[in-house]
């Protein structure tokens, strides 16, 4: 079309339209802090040879720092500031999302990429609470790090596969939840820990720009995606309308 070698745009004749998708997060998947703690504890009891214990800190990064799974898998020791006391910080600059090998240039299912929605060389600083600092320090002490500094590795030293941590997660849900909760959408995927983190920050009163910076979103996308997870906003709106009617 740019070279003007086609007389008209043939796509205009296509009648098919992509189906509408829901962009907002379902509030039913969001765990509260107590449920998140129970899930992280349950993870440590899953599998033999410390299989679940090796992955607990990975899930903790998704919950306490709202990292995407690919960002957590790629986290390196040199990206972490883990003081003995107080808050720490992660510098997130790469991601290793798992995709079909035919869609990667290297043929690797975990090809290293830049951050989502950002330039290749961008870095996202994420402050982390003392609870996560402690978990990461203990993980490094127990399991060490890879030759490239990667904190999370498979038992053979490779990149942690999504199938591996998803299997552990499903078993942990059975240990931490009631049968009714297991059958529900509550934290059905590890990614839902990220949703729980962002929802918690917003409902705690952290400003939207700050939450967006930590989570790697734009502010408009953040508010659109998590609109249904904001507790108490309806009551505030109702009170403002009552005040206006009574004026």
């Amino acid at each position: 079309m740019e070279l003007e070698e086609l007389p008209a745009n043939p796509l205009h004749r296509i009648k098919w339209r992509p189906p509408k998708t829901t962009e907002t997060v379902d509030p039913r998947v969001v765990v509260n802090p107590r449920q998140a703690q129970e899930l992280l504890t349950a993870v440590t009891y899953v599998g033999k040879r410390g299989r679940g214990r090796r992955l607990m800190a990975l899930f903790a990064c998704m919950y306490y720092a709202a990292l995407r799974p690919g960002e957590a898998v790629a986290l390196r020791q040199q990206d972490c500031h883990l003081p003995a006391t107080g808050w720490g910080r992660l510098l997130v600059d790469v991601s290793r999302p798992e995709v079909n090998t035919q869609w990667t240039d290297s043929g690797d299912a975990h090809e290293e990429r830049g951050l989502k929605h950002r330039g290749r060389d961008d870095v996202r600083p994420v402050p982390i609470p003392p609870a996560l600092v402690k978990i990461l320090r203990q993980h490094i002490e127990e399991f060490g790090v890879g030759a490239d500094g990667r904190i999370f590795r498979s038992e053979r030293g490779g990149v942690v596969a999504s199938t591996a941590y998803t299997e552990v997660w499903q078993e942990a849900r059975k240990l931490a939840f009631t049968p009714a909760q297991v059958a529900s959408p509550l934290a059905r995927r590890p990614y839902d820990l990220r949703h729980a983190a962002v929802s918690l920050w917003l409902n705690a009163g952290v400003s939207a720009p700050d939450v967006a910076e930590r989570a790697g979103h734009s502010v408009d996308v953040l508010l659109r995606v998590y609109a249904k997870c904001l507790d108490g906003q309806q009551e505030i709106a109702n009170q403002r309308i009552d005040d206006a009617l009574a004026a």
Side-chain angles (χ1 to χ4, degrees):
M1 289 301 297
E2 292 178 353
L3 295 176
E4 298 182 353
E5 294 184 359
L6 294 176
N9 187 348
L11 295 180
H12 292 163
R13 302 180 61 182
I14 297 177
K15 296 181 180 180
W16 179 84
R17 294 291 182 269
K20 292 184 178 180
T21 59
T22 302
E23 293 185 351
T24 57
V25 172
D26 184 349
R28 296 178 299 170
V29 310
V30 176
V31 291
N32 60 40
R34 179 184 58 81
Q35 291 168 330
Q37 289 286 350
E38 292 173 350
L39 281 165
L40 292 178
T41 300
V43 165
T44 64
Y45 290 97
V46 175
K48 299 179 180 179
R49 301 188 304 276
R51 183 186 182 197
R53 207 168 65 250
R54 181 183 290 272
L55 293 173
M56 190 274 276
L58 178 75
F59 295 125
C61 286
M62 298 181 200
Y63 178 66
Y64 287 109
L67 296 192
R68 298 177 176 91
E71 295 169 346
V73 166
L75 191 64
R76 299 165 299 187
Q77 185 178 24
Q78 56 265 37
D79 302 325
C80 306
H81 173 58
L82 306 173
T85 59
W87 280 65
R89 184 182 61 187
L90 304 181
L91 294 176
V92 186
D93 65 344
V94 296
S95 178
R96 285 180 176 268
E98 186 170 350
V99 297
N100 192 303
T101 55
Q102 66 179 324
W103 303 114
T104 65
D105 294 331
S106 64
D108 187 349
H110 296 89
E111 188 175 54
E112 188 173 294
R113 299 182 180 183
L115 301 181
K116 189 175 182 180
H117 306 310
R118 296 195 177 213
R120 182 63 182 86
D121 297 324
D122 282 356
V123 176
R124 187 174 89 243
V126 183
I128 58 174
L132 181 56
V133 172
K134 181 179 179 181
I135 290 172
L136 287 172
R137 287 173 65 97
Q138 291 176 341
H139 177 89
I140 293 172
E141 182 179 353
E142 181 175 1
F143 299 105
V145 298
D148 58 354
R150 278 186 300 114
I151 295 177
F152 304 114
R153 296 162 295 149
S154 67
E155 293 184 37
R156 297 183 178 180
V159 179
V160 180
S162 62
T163 52
Y165 64 70
T166 299
E167 288 176 0
V168 170
W169 185 250
Q170 296 306 325
E171 291 300 316
R173 289 182 78 246
K174 296 176 183 177
L175 293 175
F177 288 164
T178 65
Q181 289 174 325
V182 172
S184 75
L186 183 65
R188 183 169 290 171
R189 307 170 304 156
Y191 200 103
D192 293 330
L193 289 172
R194 170 177 160 85
H195 294 326
V198 176
S199 300
L200 177 69
W201 297 346
L202 287 170
N203 286 311
V206 181
S207 69
D210 193 9
V211 173
E213 175 64 22
R214 296 179 186 222
H217 274 304
S218 64
V219 174
D220 59 330
V221 170
L222 173 79
L223 296 178
R224 183 171 70 250
V225 170
Y226 291 92
K228 294 182 180 179
C229 296
L230 295 176
D231 292 333
Q233 302 305 305
Q234 187 176 44
E235 288 75 10
I236 295 174
N238 289 348
Q239 185 60 50
R240 289 176 177 173
I241 293 172
D242 278 339
D243 292 343
L245 291 173

